[in-house]
Amino acid sequence: MGELGEYRRRRDPERTPEPVPAEGPLPRGDDDTFVIQEHHARRLHWDVRLERDGVLVSWAVPKGLPVEPGSPRLAVHTEDHPLEYADFAGEIPAGEYGGGTVTIWDRGHYETRKWSGRTVDVVLHGQQARGRFVFFRTGGERDWMVRRMDAPADPDWQPLPEAPEPMLATAGTLPPLAEDADWGYEFGWGGQRALARVEGGRVQLLAGGADVTAEHRDVRGLGGALGSTQVLLDGQLVALGAEHPTSFLIADVLHLDGRCCQPLPYARRRELLDALDLRGRAWQTSPWYSGGGADVLRAARDRGLPGVLAKRLESGYRPGRRSRDWREITGVDALQVVIGGWRPRAADGLPASLLVGAPDGTAYLGTVSAGLTEPQRHELAPRLHRAARRSSPFPAGAPAGGRWVTPSLHGEVVFEGWTRRGTLRRPRWRGLLGS
Ligand code: MN
């Protein structure tokens, strides 16, 4: 250690923006500063450099310094770098040694506990790297490993768990309009459910209890995008088109940088996920919408997607559970309608069913009784009486014997398609609009 010959041999100062100092006596420092550079080269790694005897003694650590004590990580001992390198960040041209992007991940002071040709035992005092780390040689000159010796600086730090069983939805229909604002809505993509465990820039993709990382090579780039962020993601593997590779569409975050996110409300987890800004060729954050379920359902139908997932905004993540807090809505569409008539219930005269039409009043669309709740019947009754009229407002098609009203009360239904006569198949009432 302590010579820059190999560093100079590997670099042409005409071709790389890296500092290449003139030959001469090495500067003298206090052997107490370090820098860690995140290096997006052919493979992402972190370069840990400790100032010692006028150079930066360096290791390339493929997964970065371990946050937790326990298993050591590979640390490839590389050539000494000049002290000036501690300030270097930039783009090394492709084709040059170490071609790729270098950023400064952390820097600070360190203390030496032991320094020999086989063991380097130091305490780092950085912003992100804080604690005691031991580098130890395991074989040839380049073969080293690094282990964290003390507990994480953050006492609440929780290690990244093994991937749990994903939470499941129950089949259902859109929540009533009165509850719409309590729900978040996502597109159902009809893909394969998968969890991604990302740590040290490396992705492990799990689906149906199997490791499918090797089958989705493009998704591995997500590791580089996340850098040192440690995360457990839930999503779907979807083929968006024949000419596209499979995309991982991410809808939830279960663990993030030492914190379990599962007890957090869905809306908060979605904020954390959105902040990660995951957008790549083979991965995307799946969009979500707070409220407006009918619009999301219509958009899903327009795009030919199999359906919509409704998730209660306040709900936590329950691994392996089929929960009523998540609803999978398939095979239905949503529509705005106007009430043109109704039929009373024999027992109490409250509305038993509603005769609905297109909002412009031009067509009768069918009779709706499913989905009407008791509070809705009580709310509707006085309004229907106030709007009473003698004749059907529909030009044609409405059944005889209804109680007719002026078409002024607008509502929303979900339905499973159209009959041959042009009426709604299996319509279900969601509620009055604007009430
Ligand atoms: Mn490097």
Side-chain angles (χ1 to χ4, degrees):
M1 297 187 188
E3 292 298 333
L4 293 174
E6 188 182 349
Y7 178 89
R8 288 196 186 87
R9 265 198 304 283
R10 288 177 178 272
R11 287 169 181 80
D12 179 348
E14 300 295 311
R15 289 172 180 250
T16 177
E18 296 165 288
V20 182
E23 307 240 10
L26 292 169
R28 281 290 147 201
D30 293 323
D31 294 351
D32 66 347
T33 62
F34 77 94
V35 64
I36 301 174
Q37 279 142 331
E38 183 169 313
H39 190 177
H40 290 259
R42 201 154 37 83
R43 297 204 72 183
L44 170 64
H45 61 270
W46 284 264
D47 290 299
V48 180
R49 311 189 194 281
L50 306 175
E51 175 207 351
R52 180 85 182 183
D53 297 334
V55 296
L56 296 173
V57 177
S58 298
W59 290 267
V61 184
K63 294 183 78 174
L65 288 178
V67 180
E68 300 133 19
S71 29
R73 286 182 176 177
L74 183 67
V76 179
H77 189 243
T78 55
E79 77 277 13
D80 292 340
H81 280 47
L83 293 188
E84 293 91 327
Y85 208 93
D87 295 317
F88 175 70
E91 194 77 30
I92 303 172
E96 295 305 304
Y97 176 65
T101 306
V102 176
T103 55
I104 294 175
W105 185 77
D106 200 10
R107 61 195 303 176
H109 284 88
Y110 79 92
E111 298 163 51
T112 306
R113 294 172 56 102
K114 181 181 181 188
W115 192 294
S116 76
R118 302 200 74 86
T119 306
V120 171
D121 182 347
V122 292
V123 180
L124 303 184
H125 300 284
Q127 296 296 312
Q128 310 202 66
R130 302 177 72 83
R132 184 177 160 209
F133 298 88
V134 172
F135 294 81
F136 55 99
R137 188 168 162 175
T138 58
E141 211 173 309
R142 292 169 62 79
D143 304 329
W144 290 61
M145 298 193 93
V146 59
R147 188 199 299 275
R148 180 170 186 121
M149 301 306 288
D150 53 0
D154 174 356
D156 296 325
W157 182 276
Q158 292 173 274
L160 186 65
E162 294 302 317
E165 291 289 312
M167 178 167 166
L168 302 171
T170 48
T173 188
L174 284 181
L177 263 179
E179 281 183 31
D180 188 60
D182 301 331
W183 292 79
Y185 297 95
E186 299 171 3
F187 295 122
W189 299 98
Q192 182 187 22
R193 190 73 175 276
L195 300 181
R197 217 173 156 270
V198 188
E199 191 174 26
R202 302 306 190 259
V203 177
Q204 187 190 19
L205 205 54
L206 300 132
D211 189 321
V212 297
T213 318
E215 294 150 48
H216 302 281
R217 301 172 66 85
D218 292 334
V219 179
R220 293 188 304 186
L222 178 60
L226 282 160
S228 58
T229 301
Q230 186 208 58
V231 74
L232 182 58
L233 301 167
D234 184 356
Q236 290 181 59
L237 291 163
V238 182
L240 291 171
E243 70 278 24
H244 296 279
T246 305
S247 254
F248 183 45
L249 296 179
I250 306 153
D252 217 325
V253 54
L254 313 189
H255 192 96
L256 176 61
D257 279 339
R259 295 282 181 279
C260 178
C261 305
Q262 297 179 26
L264 299 176
Y266 166 76
R268 177 66 189 136
R269 300 199 308 274
R270 272 303 203 149
E271 286 170 9
L272 292 171
L273 176 60
D274 289 348
L276 292 174
D277 196 21
L278 297 174
R279 281 176 296 170
R281 205 163 53 86
W283 61 90
Q284 292 287 334
T285 306
S286 178
W288 73 289
Y289 308 89
S290 182
D295 291 334
V296 180
L297 188 55
R298 277 191 290 268
R301 300 286 282 193
D302 291 347
R303 296 168 72 167
L305 296 172
V308 162
L309 283 162
K311 299 182 175 176
R312 207 180 277 281
L313 294 176
E314 285 303 314
S315 64
Y317 191 94
R318 317 268 291 277
R321 293 281 293 275
R322 196 170 283 285
S323 166
R324 292 183 187 282
D325 290 334
W326 285 17
R327 289 190 193 179
E328 190 172 20
I329 301 146
T330 55
V332 296
D333 206 344
L335 191 70
Q336 288 184 19
V337 293
V338 67
I339 302 172
W342 59 290
R343 287 208 180 89
R345 196 157 62 179
D348 53 14
L350 290 173
S353 59
L354 303 170
L355 280 62
V356 300
D360 62 2
T362 54
Y364 167 73
L365 295 180
T367 301
V368 190
S369 54
L372 265 175
T373 63
E374 289 306 307
Q376 285 174 336
R377 292 180 214 271
H378 283 276
E379 184 198 3
L380 279 164
R383 304 180 69 165
L384 292 168
H385 284 293
R386 276 203 298 277
R389 54 181 265 174
R390 284 181 178 280
S391 59
S392 166
F394 300 115
R403 309 240 177 133
W404 306 115
V405 296
T406 303
S408 57
L409 296 168
H410 294 260
E412 208 164 62
V413 294
V414 289
F415 65 109
E416 298 182 9
W418 298 95
T419 65
R420 244 183 261 173
R421 286 180 297 137
T423 57
L424 303 166
R425 195 146 54 79
R426 295 173 66 94
R428 190 178 176 85
W429 184 251
R430 285 195 77 211
L432 281 176
L433 285 166
S435 67

